[in-house]
Amino acid sequence: MVRSSKFPVSDREYIQRVRRHPPSSLLPLIAQVSSLLPTKVDWQQDWVTLNRHPSVKGLYRPWAFADAAWVSLTRGNEHRQRLAAVDDLEEILAQYVALDDLYRHLPVGDRLAGYLLRVAGQQFTWQEDDFSELARSLALLVQTEPTKPLKALADGWERDLLGCPLSDYVGLGQLLFTVAIHRQGRFNLDWVPENELAVFKELTTRAAVEAVLERHFATGAEEERARAAAGLISSDPLMRRYTPNPLRSRPLVRGFGCDYLIPVTAAVLGKVSPMGLYYTGMEHYGRGSKAFEQFAGDLGELFEQYVGQHLRLLPDAEVHHEIVYDKDNRKSVDWIVVLPGLVLLLDAKSARPTAGLRLGPQQTFGEELNQKLGKAIEKQIPNTAKLIRDRHPKFSHIPHDRPMFGIVMTMEPYHLVNTPEFRHVLPTTDVPTVVASASELEDAVVATAPSLEEAILARIEQPPPAGWSLRALADGRPVINPILDEAWALYPCGAEHATPPDGGASAEP
């Protein structure tokens, strides 16, 4: 049973508790326990899976494992004599849950919104569906056809950025994940017969695999301590655990035996997701460089076309790309979808939520959110709706007598943005509008009983009090999206496995 911990626990006390154990003892233990709980379903039943007392329910979470592992890696001392046991790990995780938080030091009226955003940013990114995330990497970056020449993502970009084809790169992530589950959170290339690497296109030798692992996946204590010393990780004791954990970008740790240690099994899949690839691109091209701007611009073009590709899956839909009108070549929203009883107006935004948006409302929170999403809500969607209603000649083929509904499409989720606590900072409009991520669209376009159109029409007629959510409109687990299914089959083992690790997002209190 977990020993009770006082509340709140200071970040210093928590770090000292982690440091009681040498990293060579605590890190392998974290990796071992993490490997027993590789999926979201396992997290919900952790005390049963590990035959532990019900008091530990809710402690075993990948964000907690990642924090404890990184603290041990960067602050740990091998001269400590006390070897870590499972009871010690549970006490550490209990202290993590009890850490002091900024909300306790703010005026009452300023507490809730920031706390909710920090928790959502900390937890929800771990809870996206694995199948959708991994399949989207290839579907978006390789299978989507752009309408204009790409610059950074032109021919040869995969080998330049990754050192191998993207299908091999994601397939390697799947291999690491699978081996870690069966090898107590460890990976050694000697465990993979070289002839079995023939499923890859180019990573067909151990030397080729190791080159990619060292370039993108692996890290060590010295590297991570250098990050901490350089101030790349927040030192604010109230905010440190909410800032990005480096073990998400480098999930393999060397230096603890002849194997790679994988402290957080789930982090491997995040590394090869679209978000992981975005940050790999940032590291490769350099934040703020012209090359990175071109990379981000190419992602925006591909995402816009990816949205259109999915809209064409809607039954009985007429899908129109942006319409250029008037002498100064103004443009409508990116996509107009005509359904039998509804017109959808969609604008695609590839800009990701920044750390400032994830860490909670500050003075610039509303300004920053408006900068990324406000223009689509305030101008692009209502302006297009007005042109349709006013029967502008360029829009004469779009029905003007049907309800209209706006969707701001984002590549990554803007957590909680549609809830009343946060939506009020965005502009109001006479066109009902929702902000939705790519994963929500992927589910919504194949949803049945009700279909997306039926669900939206019902919500227009009787808006829910708590705000809109495209995922809620298309409630329930839909059939597999054929675009994602096709992409998944192109991975090294995709055709052999119809379903990936089980997933599904749920909020953690």
Side-chain angles (χ1 to χ4, degrees):
M1 182 183 300
V2 179
R3 289 188 287 273
S4 61
S5 175
K6 71 170 188 174
F7 177 83
V9 174
S10 72
D11 196 53
R12 181 179 181 277
E13 290 173 304
Y14 163 73
I15 291 173
Q16 290 302 316
R17 181 63 188 86
V18 173
R19 294 185 72 248
R20 288 186 196 175
H21 312 284
S24 59
S25 171
L26 182 57
L27 280 166
L29 176 62
I30 293 173
Q32 179 184 10
V33 176
S34 172
S35 71
L36 298 175
L37 302 166
T39 70
K40 288 86 177 170
V41 173
D42 294 324
W43 305 347
Q44 304 305 317
Q45 301 178 3
D46 51 20
W47 81 102
V48 174
T49 304
L50 299 178
N51 297 316
R52 304 297 291 170
H53 191 276
S55 67
V56 308
K57 178 175 169 58
L59 295 184
Y60 292 127
R61 297 293 184 264
W63 49 88
F65 286 140
D67 192 79
W70 193 79
V71 168
S72 180
L73 186 65
T74 57
R75 308 284 187 89
N77 185 338
E78 280 302 323
H79 297 291
R80 302 283 179 168
Q81 299 298 314
R82 180 173 170 178
L83 301 183
V86 173
D87 286 346
D88 295 306
L89 176 58
E90 289 170 358
E91 186 173 326
I92 289 170
L93 297 177
Q95 287 204 357
Y96 175 85
V97 172
L99 279 170
D100 195 7
D101 195 277
L102 180 63
Y103 79 85
R104 298 185 64 255
H105 305 270
L106 293 174
V108 174
D110 298 334
R111 292 181 179 182
L112 180 61
Y115 175 74
L116 290 175
L117 271 182
R118 289 191 293 277
V119 170
Q122 176 194 53
Q123 300 181 10
F124 286 8
T125 53
W126 289 95
Q127 298 186 68
E128 291 293 319
D129 179 70
D130 294 326
F131 168 73
S132 299
E133 290 288 293
L134 270 60
R136 188 182 314 121
S137 293
L138 194 69
L140 172 66
L141 292 169
V142 174
Q143 291 188 294
T144 300
E145 290 292 333
T147 59
K148 59 185 179 183
L150 301 179
K151 297 176 181 179
L153 296 178
D155 289 344
W157 73 266
E158 297 169 74
R159 290 163 184 82
D160 174 56
L161 176 62
L162 306 173
C164 64
L166 179 58
S167 59
D168 277 11
Y169 186 78
V170 178
L172 179 57
Q174 294 170 315
L175 175 64
L176 293 169
F177 179 84
T178 303
V179 172
I181 292 172
H182 293 93
R183 293 282 187 161
Q184 297 188 327
R186 291 183 175 273
F187 180 82
N188 190 318
L189 273 169
D190 291 340
W191 299 336
V192 183
E194 193 150 344
N195 64 331
E196 291 188 8
L197 297 177
V199 296
F200 292 99
K201 292 180 180 178
E202 294 184 9
L203 300 182
T204 55
T205 66
R206 292 192 181 120
V209 172
E210 186 168 9
V212 174
L213 291 180
E214 283 296 317
R215 178 176 173 181
H216 294 293
F217 291 82
T219 190
E222 290 187 7
E223 292 100 315
E224 297 310 316
R225 286 172 182 161
R227 286 176 186 257
L232 299 180
I233 307 301
S234 174
S235 59
D236 184 339
L238 298 176
M239 300 293 284
R240 182 194 57 77
R241 70 186 182 280
Y242 292 119
T243 52
N245 189 302
L247 293 180
R248 298 203 70 178
S249 61
R250 295 276 176 169
L252 274 62
V253 178
R254 71 176 88 80
F256 295 89
C258 59
D259 316 323
Y260 289 110
L261 199 62
I262 306 180
V264 189
T265 309
V268 174
L269 299 183
K271 173 66 177 176
V272 297
S273 71
M275 181 181 288
L277 289 164
Y278 174 82
Y279 288 107
T280 297
M282 181 184 292
E283 180 182 345
H284 177 74
Y285 296 112
R287 183 197 295 266
S289 68
K290 182 179 179 180
F292 179 69
E293 290 179 2
Q294 292 175 336
F295 172 73
D298 289 350
L299 282 177
E301 163 64 16
L302 290 174
F303 180 59
E304 181 178 325
Q305 304 313 317
Y306 184 76
V307 170
Q309 189 179 11
H310 276 81
L311 294 174
R312 296 185 183 97
L313 295 178
L314 288 167
D316 303 318
E318 295 178 16
V319 181
H320 305 274
H321 199 200
E322 66 181 7
I323 297 172
V324 180
Y325 65 96
D326 288 350
K327 295 180 181 180
D328 50 358
N329 294 324
R330 298 181 182 180
K331 295 179 180 180
S332 70
V333 293
D334 295 322
W335 298 99
I336 301 173
V337 181
V338 179
L339 295 166
L342 179 69
V343 174
L344 296 177
L345 308 175
L346 298 96
D347 215 49
K349 302 295 181 186
S350 59
R352 287 162 168 77
T354 62
L357 290 175
R358 294 186 187 278
L359 294 180
Q362 302 171 4
Q363 291 182 347
T364 60
F365 173 77
E367 296 176 7
E368 192 169 348
L369 196 61
N370 267 288
Q371 182 181 10
K372 296 181 181 300
L373 307 178
K375 182 180 178 182
I377 297 173
E378 184 177 23
K379 295 182 178 180
Q380 291 165 305
I381 289 173
N383 286 354
T384 300
K386 187 176 187 304
L387 290 164
I388 294 172
R389 293 183 186 123
D390 292 349
R391 311 306 295 139
H392 188 287
K394 289 287 187 177
F395 295 81
S396 60
H397 57 298
I398 308 296
H400 67 286
D401 56 352
R402 301 178 191 180
M404 296 186 193
F405 187 82
I407 303 177
V408 181
M409 294 303 316
T410 63
M411 193 178 301
E412 305 292 345
Y414 280 68
H415 300 302
L416 309 178
V417 70
N418 295 306
T419 62
E421 289 81 5
F422 304 102
R423 185 56 186 268
H424 71 277
V425 304
L426 289 170
T428 58
T429 172
D430 61 345
V431 180
T433 300
V434 69
V435 179
S437 65
S439 62
E440 293 177 89
L441 180 70
E442 291 158 356
D443 283 354
V445 294
V446 293
T448 58
S451 68
L452 177 62
E453 179 183 8
E454 292 168 339
I456 288 178
L457 286 172
R459 296 307 190 273
I460 291 177
E461 183 176 340
Q462 187 175 3
W468 296 90
S469 169
L470 198 62
R471 179 162 282 140
L473 295 181
D475 209 4
R477 182 66 181 170
V479 297
I480 292 295
N481 182 304
I483 294 173
L484 300 181
D485 205 32
E486 180 182 352
W488 184 269
L490 296 178
Y491 290 134
C493 298
E496 300 175 16
H497 304 287
T499 56
D502 40 10
S506 62
E508 179 71 18

